[in-house]
Amino acid sequence: TEPASVVTGPPGTGKSEVVAAMLLNQLLRGQTTLFASKNHQALDAVLPRLNSAEEGGDLIIQTSSRDLAQRKNYLGKLQSLLARPPRPDAAQGDEYRRKFAEFFSQQLAALNDISTLEQARREYEVLNAQFEELRKSLPLAAQSDDALARWPRELTRDRVEALEAELRSALARPVGLFQKLWHSLRRSQMEAREPLLSFPLPFADRTLPDAGATGDAWNDFFTTWKTWAEAARVAALVRSCEQRIAQLPRADDCNRRMASAQQGIEEQTGEWMRWATGGLPRSLAPADREALASLRAGIQNWGADRFGKELRRHFPLIMRAFPLWSVSNLSARSALPLVPGLFDLVIIDEASQCDIP
């Protein structure tokens, strides 16, 4: 779907298989495609995957720059095209596309489930690592699951910080008349200390600082409380993530569905390819058949200029029956009509080794 895509990899990694799959995909979609290569070796690695002598038909046409060979090639294809009666099983093509769409939907659903499961597992690993780091920084009395469960859910880290700010503000000694007046209107130390009395004690051997204690006496408590609140929050996220993973499809079930869809696609592709070798079910109008018959009659008698001109005129008709073509780079200029936008897609093998023209 991109204006230009690059497929790269060392020998033996499946590039020819990718090309064959792309060509079959284009044929299934009814889009014209040209497969070009600097040499015939690459063409020979792909074309046999689409053209089978046993099936008696070609899915991709290989054209040549040699005039006589080229004309015989076109003549043979035209004869084949004109000899084809309308397919009685034309509706079978729509049925194949429907089945393909069903298999692809099953494959996509399995892929989405696998992706969701992997994402949830990665999220769980991150949360669990974060939780264990927070737990280790807590005192032993606050590290247990029971201690974490005792932490009030409504006491978030932000709430603890707000209460800490209120207490430190109450403990601060006023300087100047204005601050003393403002200090007299603020909550007293006793009032600021009151909400903290309900907090779980983080230290087994220490009680809360008394009303006369300085702000420094509260440092360890607030540091631990903030960590405790954050650990409790992350622990809840870990549990939620565990529950979500438990509700997702199992990995082995996703893989089984993927394998089943893949097997269905492969079997369906083989059946469809055998069916497609009988010709695409695109009926030709009488005027089209007459024009192609005229081209066939003159293909061996016309000169190169006349042949090129007539080919240019009638090539769109030929491509309606044969959407897939292959050519070597040097043959393209004489083997194909030079018409802008002739093909929907062009696949160039070994593109990095091609001459720019």
Side-chain angles (χ1 to χ4, degrees), residues 205-218:
D205 55 347
R206 292 169 60 185
T207 59
L208 293 180
D210 57 32
T214 63
D216 291 342
W218 291 91

Side-chain angles (χ1 to χ4, degrees), residues 2 44 52 72 83 106 194 221 224 229 249 302 306 318 337:
E2 299 294 332
D44 294 340
S52 174
K72 287 183 177 180
Q106 294 172 5
E194 186 68 26
F221 286 89
T224 302
W302 292 330
R306 173 76 184 276
I318 300 174

Side-chain angles (χ1 to χ4, degrees), residues 67 71-72 74-75 78-79 82 290-308 310-311 314:
D67 288 343
R71 294 191 183 200
K72 287 183 177 180
Y74 283 127
L75 179 60
L78 285 176
Q79 287 175 334
L82 292 172
E290 184 178 345
L292 291 178
S294 174
L295 180 61
R296 184 185 66 175
I299 203 169
Q300 296 185 95
N301 303 319
W302 292 330
D305 291 341
R306 173 76 184 276
F307 171 72
E310 294 295 329
L311 179 65
H314 297 104

Side-chain angles (χ1 to χ4, degrees), residues 22 27 35 45 56 95 98 108 116 135 182 244 276 279 296 326 338 345:
M22 291 168 64
L27 182 62
F35 176 44
E95 179 64 15
R98 186 193 66 77
L108 183 61
T116 301
R135 189 207 289 264
W182 175 246
R244 183 151 44 92
R296 184 185 66 175
S326 66
L338 301 181
L345 177 69

Side-chain angles (χ1 to χ4, degrees), residues 40-59:
H40 288 275
Q41 184 178 357
L43 301 180
D44 294 340
V46 172
L47 269 57
R49 301 171 189 259
L50 278 71
N51 296 343
S52 174
E54 290 81 7
E55 304 299 337
D58 291 346
L59 296 181

Side-chain angles (χ1 to χ4, degrees), residues 83-98:
R84 286 177 180 171
R87 293 198 66 161
D89 59 347
Q92 184 64 35
D94 295 332
E95 179 64 15
Y96 278 124
R97 279 189 287 273
R98 186 193 66 77

